[in-house]
Amino acid sequence: MTNTKEYISETKDVATFFHGYAADFDSIYGHTKKRSSWDKFLDKYFRVSMRLRYELVLKYTATNEIRTILDVGCGGGVYCEALLNAGKTVTGIDIAEGMLQLAEQKTAQYITEGKVNYIHSGYLEHPFSQQYDAAVLVGFFDYIKTPIDTFKKLEKEVTKELLMSFPKSGGFLGWQRKVRYKMRNCPLYYYSKTDLESLLGQMGWLNKAEIIDIERDFFVRVTL
Ligand SMILES: C[S@@+](CC[C@H](N)C(=O)[O-])C[C@H]1O[C@@H](n2cnc3c(N)ncnc32)[C@H](O)[C@@H]1O
């Protein structure tokens, strides 16, 4: 378990960062604000992974067994919207209010229909009273120092599938991103394949997990 004081201070920094960064982040998907030339250059490198992880989430949730989905770190709601369009019932949780406002705007009709609800909280801090068929954690572990705490909670709250992305360590762009985030006081964590195998091993998930190499990220699917 992570040090509590350190955890609180880090999650506060992440919330502040994403609250202010909401419109910029959303614009990577082509929503809201215009991108600068430098941002567009970076997007080109990160976009392949972003597209691949999006496709994998839709592929692995496209089954009748998966009806309810928890989107942890749902951000501006791009995944929530796609999963709702695919007929799923979704709960999105995020620590940054600005991000949730974008998600609510995108999925307003589904909120009215009771197909989606949003929770403003850090994931570890919010106890869920129901279980979900699947959880999506895309672009989430980038900001999480001790993934095991999240895994242990997911194990209780999710019954079938975990679909997760982890940013790869190494490379100039990874280093450059780390510096950019550090300048804005936002923590950032990278993972090697060995790190992931060790984490999955600690959970006893190695034989239930698939690690897929998708350019800048590893995509991990755990079938519970
Ligand atoms: C890079 S965005 C990804 C958003 C969305 N999943 C996507 O891929 O489009 C990461 C999101 O995770 C949220 N986040 C980070 N740490 C969190 C935590 N401990 N609990 C809940 N949300 C968190 C941030 O506020 C941010 O909106």
Side-chain angles (χ1 to χ4, degrees):
M1 178 77 186
T2 185
N3 172 305
T4 313
K5 251 195 185 160
E6 188 187 11
Y7 172 77
I8 293 170
S9 135
E10 279 210 351
T11 46
K12 251 193 183 165
D13 289 341
V14 174
T16 307
F17 173 77
F18 274 104
H19 181 67
Y21 182 52
D24 268 327
F25 181 79
D26 218 37
S27 68
I28 300 173
Y29 288 108
H31 301 110
T32 58
K33 277 177 81 169
K34 274 200 160 176
R35 307 285 291 161
S36 70
S37 308
W38 174 244
D39 284 341
K40 279 186 190 157
F41 166 76
L42 291 178
D43 289 354
K44 225 175 86 185
Y45 286 90
F46 290 111
R47 201 169 272 163
V48 180
S49 297
M50 289 182 86
R51 183 174 49 77
L52 290 173
R53 64 200 199 184
Y54 180 84
E55 286 171 4
L56 286 168
V57 166
L58 291 188
K59 174 178 152 186
Y60 290 130
T61 50
T63 143
N64 288 339
E65 268 93 74
I66 293 182
R67 293 198 198 95
T68 56
I69 299 179
L70 177 63
D71 186 351
V72 180
C74 65
V78 168
Y79 283 81
C80 294
E81 186 181 27
L83 294 166
L84 287 159
N85 287 341
K88 312 296 175 186
T89 301
V90 178
T91 293
I93 179 166
D94 202 288
I95 204 164
E97 205 176 351
M99 286 298 221
L100 285 176
Q101 283 162 3
L102 291 173
E104 283 166 1
Q105 281 164 24
K106 265 192 212 92
T107 58
Q109 183 59 36
Y110 289 111
I111 296 175
T112 315
E113 291 167 13
K115 295 271 186 205
V116 62
N117 71 302
Y118 292 104
I119 297 160
H120 180 207
S121 172
Y123 174 60
L124 289 185
E125 295 87 305
H126 184 83
F128 285 91
S129 50
Q130 79 165 96
Q131 284 188 311
Y132 295 86
D133 296 329
V136 171
L137 300 97
V138 171
F140 172 81
F141 286 105
D142 311 38
Y143 315 100
I144 302 298
K145 188 172 184 181
T146 51
I148 288 289
D149 299 334
T150 302
F151 287 173
K152 286 184 179 157
K153 190 164 187 289
L154 288 167
E155 197 173 40
K156 293 189 201 120
E157 294 170 345
V158 182
T159 56
K160 296 189 178 91
E161 293 260 349
L162 301 178
L163 303 168
M164 312 180 277
S165 75
F166 295 84
K168 273 187 197 172
S169 39
F172 170 74
L173 283 173
W175 171 83
Q176 191 274 347
R177 184 177 173 224
K178 195 139 190 161
V179 172
R180 266 189 308 136
Y181 276 59
K182 180 135 187 91
M183 280 164 63
R184 296 178 71 179
N185 215 24
C186 183
L188 192 61
Y189 300 99
Y190 291 128
Y191 304 81
S192 65
K193 195 166 181 197
T194 314
D195 294 334
L196 292 179
E197 283 166 350
S198 160
L199 289 166
L200 294 166
Q202 286 175 60
M203 293 301 294
W205 285 351
L206 264 183
N207 61 348
K208 308 172 178 184
E210 206 182 329
I211 302 176
I212 306 168
D213 189 325
I214 51 164
E215 300 263 330
R216 312 282 325 151
D217 290 318
F218 290 110
F219 186 90
V220 178
R221 177 192 189 201
V222 177
T223 311
L224 294 165

